[in-house]
Amino acid sequence: MKYVIGIDLGTSSVKTLLVNQNGEIAGEASAAYPLIQERPGFSEQDPEEWVKGTLACLKQLLKESGVTAGDVEGVSFSGQMHGLVLLDKQNNVLRNAILWNDTRTTKQCRDIDAKLGSKLLDITRNAALEGFTLPKILWVQEHEPELFAKAARFVLPKDYLRYRMTGQVQMEISDAAGTLLLNVPEGRWSEEIATAFGLPAGFCPPLVGSTESTGTLLPEFAAESGLSAGTKVFGGGADNACGAVGAGIVRKGDALCSVGTSGVVLTYEEDKNKDFAGKVHFFNHAHPGAFYAMGVTLAAGYSLSWFKESLAPELSFDELLKPVGDIAPGSEGLLFTPYLVGERTPHADSVIRGSFIGLSGTHRREHLARAVMEGITFSLQESFDLFGAAGIEVERVISIGGGAKNPVWLQMQADIFGKPVVALKNEQGPAMGAAMMAAVGSGWFGSLKECADAFIGYAKTYEPIPANVEKYARLFKLYQQVYAATRSLNEGLQEFRG
């Protein structure tokens, strides 16, 4: 039996999966590492921590599984997106990585808008937001000019880890799509954008595909990890692209709904000319020549966690949500908007805040809990609305994350989305997607679609209930009015917030 390893380089930890040729998990290991937050809005990490954590995981995988190094054919990656790793001419790291959740770059985003105007959306298909990489580059350029003068190139987090494993400086395309430097429809770096901001020649490294071979392990890395120096290393993918692959979103008609701290709705697309006017993200998929459109709810699972910790800290989530199934759709006239930390899709708004609308003395905790679940799902439905307006037809929704652990919520998703919703039998997220890329790269399958058919199993399908679909459609129209109705009020309240 042969094996591959998927490495998921996340924001707080690295997770590794050892997967055999049948798609079965033979081992897993994880290692945490710290965030560096020296000032409000700053979020950084030492890239060396990623290397140390990965080495520890690889050693643990081999030791605990008993699998020999020679039976591991390939390794691939999933990585936190957008993080800036600046390298000098010798490929030494110049400063801590600035991560995706760093928000110091509002000015730089406005500078990008002012300089590029509509060209930005034409080229990158994405609006300038603080999370993306180019604003971080411009911040360093402006605030640390002496350090930036030493920068020869940049990479993203997982691409730096791959460099340390192979000695090759490259950037994988689905991750590059989140930099605001890639011509997304054409799958190449934009010289126009790089030139507009004075970035040196060669600053953007060579591009590679997700299942493309990037060499084998350096002897010193192999010796330290316990793997063979002949182990093949493949490009990998951005975390959302890998999450999509790991959930089987590799063909038209399928969409992903993921409820974690934030919420993501993602759909597979093959038409590079799809234009969402920047209202949703449009990135290159891990599947060659394909793309994915993605909408984001900033406070999805976070809204439910906030509700539990604020109003029912003594209960488990199962205990909190158990009575919710007895409440009819609509929570007896109560609406919740999950804008606790602002919103991303369809309102890129850092000022807006959440609300309960229609609260009365007859509502109990279970009504509020159901309203929170419905509000999160309504927010995700706004992304599906945008997909539909762009001509994307969704036939089935694969639900993962916290929303897929509760049958009531799965049925609620089916009723609000108006689509069949299905959960996975064995959800492993982006790490499985990365392992699938290594499996395809190693020649086990001819494509990610073939690999998905072999590796991924589905659990129960939840069909929409027509009466609930009709009721939720009317409630959704009311939900969509709340943003505009409360926008000016939230602006007025901003000065009173801590």
Side-chain angles (χ1 to χ4, degrees):
M1 182 69 73
K2 297 297 183 181
Y3 300 83
V4 290
I5 294 175
I7 300 172
D8 177 18
L9 190 72
T11 309
S12 58
S13 66
V14 57
K15 175 183 178 182
T16 56
L17 284 184
L18 182 67
V19 181
N20 68 21
Q21 289 171 295
N22 297 322
E24 299 164 338
I25 297 168
E28 53 186 300
S30 62
Y33 33 67
L35 278 175
I36 302 168
Q37 296 175 302
E38 295 179 349
R39 293 172 56 185
F42 282 35
S43 183
E44 301 185 353
Q45 226 152 35
D46 178 0
E48 197 63 31
E49 296 288 343
W50 305 332
V51 180
K52 291 177 182 177
T54 301
L55 281 167
C57 287
L58 294 174
K59 292 175 188 176
Q60 183 181 342
L61 275 185
L62 294 178
K63 180 180 179 181
E64 294 183 356
S65 68
V67 170
T68 62
D71 287 333
V72 179
E73 290 200 347
V75 176
S76 194
F77 311 83
S78 163
Q80 50 167 301
M81 295 181 72
H82 312 310
L84 173 64
V85 184
L86 282 173
L87 305 178
D88 66 14
K89 292 179 180 178
Q90 289 74 43
N91 296 323
N92 298 309
V93 174
L94 287 168
R95 69 179 321 283
N96 288 332
I98 304 178
L99 302 190
W100 65 273
N101 55 354
D102 188 289
T103 58
R104 74 184 77 176
T105 57
T106 300
K107 174 186 177 296
Q108 286 70 35
C109 290
R110 302 294 76 79
D111 292 344
I112 292 169
D113 288 335
K115 182 162 285 190
L116 295 179
S118 62
K119 287 183 180 179
L120 181 68
L121 287 180
D122 292 341
I123 296 170
T124 72
R125 290 293 195 272
N126 292 282
L129 299 174
E130 287 84 353
F132 287 103
T133 319
L134 178 58
K136 304 178 198 310
I137 292 170
L138 300 185
W139 186 92
V140 177
Q141 192 180 52
E142 180 177 342
H143 293 272
E144 300 173 352
E146 293 182 6
L147 181 145
F148 190 80
K150 300 175 184 177
R153 58 194 60 87
F154 84 105
V155 288
L156 300 171
K158 75 159 193 335
D159 299 306
Y160 176 73
L161 176 60
R162 193 179 57 247
Y163 157 68
R164 290 290 298 272
M165 295 171 72
T166 66
Q168 302 295 317
V169 178
Q170 298 159 320
M171 193 178 297
E172 178 274 326
I173 192 166
S174 73
D175 227 355
T179 63
L180 287 185
L181 283 162
L182 190 77
N183 184 319
V184 167
E186 303 304 323
R188 57 177 172 78
W189 292 118
S190 170
E191 292 184 12
E192 182 175 0
I193 294 178
T195 300
F197 295 101
L199 302 182
F203 190 74
C204 300
L207 293 167
V208 296
S210 296
T211 60
E212 186 176 339
S213 174
T214 60
T216 55
L217 293 179
L218 291 168
E220 55 268 33
F221 191 95
E224 196 167 353
S225 66
L227 291 170
S228 165
T231 306
K232 301 169 187 174
V233 181
F234 302 96
D239 53 6
N240 286 306
C242 288
V245 171
I249 312 299
V250 290
R251 50 178 57 84
K252 293 191 74 170
D254 279 352
L256 176 74
C257 172
S258 173
V259 177
T261 302
S262 61
V264 169
V265 171
L266 180 155
T267 187
Y268 179 92
E269 180 56 50
E270 294 180 344
D271 182 1
K272 69 179 183 180
N273 295 313
K274 278 283 186 285
D275 187 358
F276 299 92
K279 291 183 178 179
V280 300
H281 301 312
F282 190 65
F283 294 141
N284 303 80
H285 201 296
H287 188 75
F291 305 85
Y292 65 94
M294 184 177 78
V296 177
T297 295
L298 289 180
Y302 176 71
S303 290
L304 196 59
S305 297
W306 161 81
F307 178 78
K308 176 193 166 316
E309 294 305 317
S310 299
L311 297 179
E314 74 284 1
L315 298 182
S316 68
F317 276 106
D318 287 343
E319 292 169 329
L320 175 68
L321 300 182
K322 186 176 180 180
V324 165
D326 297 327
I327 306 298
S331 305
E332 296 188 14
L334 183 61
L335 276 176
F336 172 77
T337 57
Y339 305 148
L340 301 186
V341 294
E343 191 52 303
R344 177 71 61 84
T345 307
H347 314 292
D349 189 335
S350 62
V351 174
I352 196 69
R353 289 295 179 267
S355 56
F356 281 104
I357 305 293
L359 188 63
S360 79
T362 63
H363 287 124
R364 301 183 303 276
R365 184 167 61 196
E366 52 264 40
H367 293 93
L368 274 69
R370 183 172 184 110
V372 170
M373 295 166 69
E374 290 175 337
I376 294 165
T377 313
F378 282 142
S379 178
L380 296 168
Q381 172 60 23
E382 296 208 273
S383 293
F384 280 115
D385 258 16
L386 293 173
F387 296 161
I392 293 178
E393 295 185 8
V394 174
E395 299 170 2
R396 178 178 68 161
V397 178
I398 312 301
S399 185
I400 66 173
K405 292 179 171 63
N406 183 286
V408 173
W409 206 342
L410 286 166
Q411 184 61 57
M412 183 187 296
Q413 290 177 21
D415 294 340
I416 290 177
F417 301 154
K419 310 287 183 186
V421 170
V422 61
L424 299 176
K425 283 184 179 178
N426 184 13
E427 182 186 323
Q428 290 294 336
M432 177 57 80
M436 290 168 65
M437 293 170 190
V440 173
S442 297
W444 296 1
F445 302 95
S447 69
L448 289 169
K449 293 178 182 178
E450 289 182 19
C451 185
D453 290 338
F455 275 24
I456 297 171
Y458 299 100
K460 178 182 176 181
T461 296
Y462 292 77
E463 296 288 346
I465 298 171
N468 292 349
V469 171
E470 190 276 333
K471 188 171 185 179
Y472 275 132
R474 289 187 285 122
L475 283 167
F476 180 58
K477 290 180 180 178
L478 296 174
Y479 171 90
Q480 290 182 298
Q481 296 176 41
V482 177
Y483 174 79
T486 60
R487 182 64 176 84
S488 60
L489 178 62
N490 272 280
E491 284 184 334
L493 290 171
Q494 190 175 14
E495 67 175 289
F496 297 98
R497 293 175 187 153

